[in-house]
Amino acid sequence: MDYINAFWVGGLICALTQILLDRTKLMPGRIMVLLVCSGSVLGALKIYPVIQEYAGAGASVPLLGFGNLLWKGVKEAVDKEGFIGIFMGGFKASAVGISAALVFGYLAALIFEPKMKK
């Protein structure tokens, strides 16, 4: 049942995002920022951890989960370090994900020879 819940929740997030892409004039970058900010707000309201507990990776892998991860990191760092935690908490919490994105993006660029669009 865990796999089914992860699949339908993750699919719902992706479907709603696709609807935003198709039905609005928002650019993909703005939708990505909207998703990360929404995950942070839902985490601050203590709604997203409940969703994440129910759906597992179906909720933690999408950009909403990244926003929630940033929120948790900032909250913990502010509790521990004070004001300076605002600036370091998100980086500490998401360092592995950000590093992986940079490394795999670089490797993909080496393998596939990206070109600028004309």
Side-chain angles (χ1 to χ4, degrees), residues 70-93:
L70 289 173
W71 162 253
K72 285 194 307 190
V74 168
K75 183 179 179 300
E76 289 173 9
V78 167
D79 291 344
K80 192 177 199 180
E81 305 287 334
F83 180 76
I84 194 74
I86 293 172
F87 304 104
M88 45 192 264
F91 290 115
K92 281 186 177 181

Side-chain angles (χ1 to χ4, degrees), residues 28-109:
R30 290 185 179 176
I31 292 175
M32 290 172 61
V33 170
L34 179 69
L35 289 169
V36 172
C37 291
S38 298
S40 297
V41 169
L42 289 172
L45 296 174
K46 299 183 179 165
I47 295 171
Y48 206 75
V50 175
I51 297 169
Q52 203 168 13
E53 185 178 324
Y54 176 76
S60 63
V61 172
L63 286 172
L64 286 168
F66 182 68
N68 183 52
L69 179 68
L70 289 173
W71 162 253
K72 285 194 307 190
V74 168
K75 183 179 179 300
E76 289 173 9
V78 167
D79 291 344
K80 192 177 199 180
E81 305 287 334
F83 180 76
I84 194 74
I86 293 172
F87 304 104
M88 45 192 264
F91 290 115
K92 281 186 177 181
S94 62
V96 173
I98 292 171
S99 298
L102 289 172
V103 168
F104 290 125
Y106 180 74
L107 290 175

